[in-house]
Amino acid sequence: MAFNPADLFKVRSAAATFNANHPKLLPFFGAAKNKAMTPGSVIEIAITDPAGEKIETNLRVQESDIELINLLMEIGSKGM
């Protein structure tokens, strides 16, 4: 699989837009990472569409999940 620098630029641009649209998300994960996110913790996710219908799921945090979140936080803090 070849690395395409143009794709990296697209990801960086999309991430910057996402962070601008949702400025509380990275600080939330930072606070959760430092206080509550340990192996065995449960993350719950819910999405409510404009009509009010809701879907939900949850996951039990594993060590590898924490490693991924730390990596994403590190990348995000560098202004990805």
Side-chain angles (χ1 to χ4, degrees):
M1 182 173 184
F3 175 74
N4 183 346
D7 288 341
L8 178 59
F9 180 75
K10 289 177 190 176
V11 170
R12 290 181 72 176
S13 177
T17 299
F18 185 89
N19 287 334
N21 289 339
H22 310 286
K24 295 180 181 180
L25 188 62
L26 282 178
F28 171 80
F29 277 117
K33 176 182 74 113
N34 293 328
K35 294 182 181 179
M37 198 172 310
T38 59
S41 297
V42 176
I43 296 175
E44 297 177 328
I45 301 169
I47 300 173
T48 305
D49 70 16
E53 292 187 45
K54 186 175 187 177
I55 58 172
E56 308 175 69
T57 192
N58 63 60
L59 60 94
R60 189 161 310 277
V61 176
Q62 299 179 25
E63 187 64 40
S64 60
D65 302 326
I66 294 170
E67 292 169 9
L68 174 62
I69 290 169
N70 288 339
L71 177 62
L72 294 173
M73 293 286 296
E74 181 180 322
I75 291 168
S77 71
K78 291 179 182 177
M80 173 148 183

